[in-house]
Amino acid sequence: MRAMQISSDHPLLLRIVDDLAEHGWSQQDLFLPNALTAQLAAECRRRSAEGELAPAAVGRGPAQEIREGIRGDHIQWLEEGDSEPSDCYMQMMDSLREALNRGLFLGLEEFECHFALYPPGAFYRKHVDRFRDDDRRMVSVVLYLNDDWLAEQGGQLRMYLAGEREHDVLPSGGCLVVFLSGEVPHEVLPAQRDRLSLTGWFRRRGEGPF
Ligand code: OGA
Ligand code: MN
């Protein structure tokens, strides 16, 4: 897997940069090769089976709380060195970070990322990814890890775009969605089956309150 590096001027990454510059979001249906998607999906399921995923909280610092009426996913943050597939994905994200910095002058310095599993019926109400008291999150990235997803199974990511336009994305394996964290309100609709993803944020460095 380590051989599969992507350079920061790869056409796929430049397309994402162009989309963000023009529209504030990008969807790439075939971002990852199937083999890597399958490995990441297996890792997410293994972590879940071993009880490593925990109910996700809302808010930041002392104000954090578990509120299943707002979001019902279970998550685990990724660390460098966790596994070869996840390191491979992190390296690809580092190339995307360079491409974004070069094309959009965002000054992104860090990437944070977690596995997420939404059990059947779980959802995440409409929200914006940037915290009111902490604006270091600049760009959100979601990679989906689900085989053969059907529209009638639900689980769409619904983005609220300019001009009162809505855009739905099915969480199909290998699909990557990227958007400006402060500018695109979005929600996750409930699904009829487990919904797996890797969700991450590029951040500027800065003094956070926590
Ligand atoms: C999030 C989020 C979207 C998705 O975790 O903040 O909005 O499609 N996830 O999983
Ligand atoms: Mn979000």
Side-chain angles (χ1 to χ4, degrees):
M1 266 308 157
R2 210 160 283 290
M4 210 204 62
Q5 293 204 6
I6 182 167
S7 113
S8 60
D9 55 10
H10 191 287
L12 199 49
L13 301 186
L14 297 184
R15 207 176 316 147
I16 293 173
V17 173
D18 286 349
D19 284 348
L20 282 192
E22 259 185 71
H23 313 291
W25 66 283
S26 181
Q27 175 180 346
Q28 302 300 325
D29 289 331
L30 287 172
F31 184 77
L32 274 203
N34 288 337
L36 182 54
T37 304
Q39 282 178 312
L40 291 168
E43 183 171 342
C44 184
R45 288 197 182 284
R46 179 187 56 73
R47 289 174 183 236
S48 173
E50 290 174 2
E52 291 177 10
L53 306 188
V58 178
R60 199 150 179 94
Q64 265 199 354
E65 42 182 346
I66 309 294
R67 294 179 62 181
E68 283 166 6
I70 297 181
R71 71 184 289 191
D73 56 331
H74 290 63
I75 68 164
Q76 189 185 28
W77 292 94
L78 233 68
E79 308 278 353
E80 217 180 298
D82 275 354
S83 73
E84 248 186 64
S86 66
D87 279 355
C88 182
Y89 179 66
M90 297 278 243
Q91 280 183 11
M92 295 173 82
M93 288 300 107
D94 204 56
S95 296
L96 177 56
R97 187 184 63 79
E98 280 177 29
L100 289 167
N101 282 344
R102 198 174 302 145
L104 302 176
F105 308 104
L106 289 178
L108 306 172
E109 301 204 44
E110 299 169 342
F111 181 64
E112 55 179 2
C113 176
H114 62 58
F115 280 109
L117 190 151
Y118 289 74
F123 52 81
Y124 194 160
R125 292 257 185 257
K126 187 174 174 184
H127 65 282
V128 178
D129 281 348
R130 192 179 270 192
F131 297 109
R132 232 164 301 151
D133 56 3
D134 179 353
D135 63 358
R136 285 173 297 171
R137 284 182 172 179
M138 300 293 291
V139 177
S140 305
V141 193
V142 193
L143 171 74
Y144 298 106
L145 302 174
N146 308 290
D147 280 341
D148 305 321
W149 196 277
L150 303 173
E152 58 262 34
Q153 292 170 330
Q156 292 88 344
L157 167 69
R158 176 162 294 166
M159 293 190 282
Y160 296 87
L161 305 171
E164 301 198 3
R165 227 161 48 80
E166 290 175 12
H167 177 71
D168 284 357
V169 182
L170 292 183
S172 304
C175 173
L176 188 85
V177 176
V178 186
F179 55 87
L180 298 176
S181 302
E183 293 184 18
V184 182
H186 55 280
E187 69 179 313
V188 176
L189 302 179
Q192 290 169 8
R193 51 181 272 203
D194 284 351
R195 177 192 192 271
L196 278 51
S197 63
L198 261 173
T199 304
W201 296 271
F202 292 106
R203 310 197 310 181
R204 289 189 296 215
R205 195 165 296 160
E207 291 306 302
F210 308 111

